[in-house]
Amino acid sequence: MQHVYSGKVREIYADGDDLLLVASDRVSVYDIVLPTPIPDKGKLLTQLSVWWFGQLADIVPNHLVSATDVPAEFEGRAVRCRRLEMVPFECIARGYLAGSGLKEYQATGAISGVVLPRGLVEGSRLPEPVFTPTTKVSEGHDAPATFEDVAAGVGLSTATRLRDLTLEVYRRGASRAAENGIIVADTKLEFGVSPDGELTLADEVLTSDSSRFWPAAEWEPGRPQHAYDKQFVRDWATGSGWDRNPPAPPIPAEVVEATRARYVAAYEKITGLPWRG
Ligand code: PZK
C-alpha cells in the first residue's frame, strides 16, 4: 500500500485500483492540529459517514467499496473506496448562516449569487438551503464560486445535478439530525465521476468534520453558535492564554473526555445505534 496524501486529520493510501481513506484521532481548532488526540474520533467519524452512505444510497451512488476490507492497523477508521475523477468544486449546502457564508451575506446580501432576505444574523436559519460551492485551491482556503462558475467548469447539466444532489443530501441529513437534537448548519460534499461515467458521492459525508453540527437546544441566532463536537476544546483554548499560533498546548484530560463523549453522542443520536468502540 502506498501513501498518497496527508490532510490535517486524514490520510489517503492507494491499494491497487482502490483508495483507502484513513481518519486519525487528530483534532484541529482555528485550523491548527492539537498535539493531543481524541480517542476513537477517527472511528466515530468513519462509522458515521459509512452509516450515512447507506442512508443516502437511494439519492446518489457512492464511492464506498468496503468499510471492513481494510488493513488491521486501520480497522474501523478506514474505508476502501473506488478511485474517481474528482469534480474540482466542493459542493456545499447551507441551511444556516455561519462562517464564510455569513461574511459574504454581510458584505453583499447574497451567498454564491443567491440573494437572501435582509435582516439575517449570525446563526439565522435560511428560508431554504442554498448551494454555495467553492473551487478547490491547493494552497490556502477555497475560493467561493457561483452556480454559473460550476456550470462553466463541468457543464450545465452536471452542475444542475451537483446542486440538486447536494441540496437533497443536505435536506435528508439535516432532517434526520434535527429529529435528534442536532442542527446541521451546513455540509461539504465531494463528488467524482466513476469509470462508467456516473456522478458519485465521495469523501466523508455528514460528519462534524465536514459539516457544522450545533446542539439544537443551544441555538440562539445573533451570536456564534456552539459547536456540537469541539466546543469544549474551543472554550479551553480560548481560556488557556494560547495565542492560536503553533505549537498548540496539550489538551487537558477532562476536555479530551468531554469531547470524546460529544463524538459518541453525535454518532448515537444520529444513527440510533449504540457505540461499541
Ligand atoms: C480524493 N480527496 C480529499 C479525502 C484526505 C483528502 N474516491 C476518490 N477518488 C479519487 N480521489 C479522491 C477520492 C475520495 N474521497 C478525495 N482527495 C482525493 C481527501 C480523504 C482524506 F486527506
Side-chain angles (χ1 to χ4, degrees):
M1 233 177 350
Q2 189 189 337
H3 181 257
V4 293
Y5 182 81
S6 280
K8 278 204 304 277
V9 302
R10 296 185 300 160
E11 318 283 334
I12 304 184
Y13 293 82
D15 185 17
D17 287 347
D18 298 336
L19 294 179
L20 287 166
L21 306 189
V22 184
S24 74
D25 290 342
R26 297 192 292 274
V27 64
S28 67
V29 282
Y30 315 125
D31 261 0
I32 293 162
V33 176
L34 299 171
T36 318
I38 306 298
D40 294 338
K41 173 179 179 265
K43 288 186 179 179
L44 283 153
L45 295 193
T46 297
Q47 296 310 311
L48 179 58
S49 180
V50 166
W51 184 85
W52 276 123
F53 278 128
Q55 296 294 306
L56 299 166
D58 63 317
I59 298 177
V60 59
N62 63 66
H63 72 163
L64 189 63
V65 172
S66 174
T68 51
D69 181 15
V70 301
E73 58 177 314
F74 301 145
E75 191 187 332
R77 61 193 180 91
V79 293
R80 177 179 297 277
C81 59
R82 290 205 284 172
R83 193 191 286 263
L84 307 171
E85 189 71 48
M86 295 303 286
V87 168
F89 297 93
E90 313 220 305
C91 291
I92 299 168
R94 297 177 185 275
Y96 292 75
L97 264 190
S100 62
L102 171 67
K103 300 244 154 42
E104 202 180 331
Y105 170 75
Q106 288 169 335
T108 69
I111 322 181
S112 295
V114 178
V115 177
L116 295 171
R118 295 175 186 279
L120 300 177
V121 297
E122 175 152 29
S124 286
R125 184 174 184 164
L126 301 177
E128 55 185 339
V130 181
F131 180 58
T132 66
T134 62
T135 56
K136 295 187 207 172
V137 177
S138 40
E139 291 298 307
H141 276 110
D142 298 338
T146 61
F147 176 76
E148 287 68 33
D149 295 328
V150 180
V154 301
L156 182 59
S157 77
T158 299
T160 302
R161 284 278 293 144
L162 288 170
R163 180 184 59 193
D164 293 351
L165 288 172
T166 299
L167 292 172
E168 204 176 342
V169 166
Y170 173 76
R171 285 181 202 281
R172 175 80 60 90
S175 139
R176 171 86 192 189
E179 288 165 9
N180 300 288
I182 296 174
I183 291 173
V184 180
D186 49 45
T187 198
K188 182 197 81 178
L189 304 179
E190 298 220 28
F191 292 89
V193 180
S194 66
D196 45 334
E198 260 204 309
L199 208 49
T200 303
L201 185 58
D203 203 356
E204 62 178 334
V205 284
L206 288 161
T207 69
S208 55
D209 271 8
S210 65
S211 319
R212 281 192 177 82
F213 284 9
W214 296 337
E218 294 164 39
W219 177 53
E220 196 181 299
R223 56 149 175 88
Q225 303 305 302
H226 297 139
Y228 195 89
D229 55 351
K230 297 178 185 174
Q231 194 61 44
F232 300 116
V233 182
R234 289 207 189 130
D235 290 348
W236 156 76
T238 303
S240 70
W242 174 44
D243 63 5
R244 298 190 186 184
N245 290 307
I251 312 173
E254 64 275 15
V255 175
V256 170
E257 200 32 60
T259 302
R260 181 186 177 278
R262 282 303 186 95
Y263 285 105
V264 172
Y267 173 88
E268 292 189 332
K269 281 174 185 287
I270 289 172
T271 66
L273 301 168
W275 174 251
R276 307 183 202 276

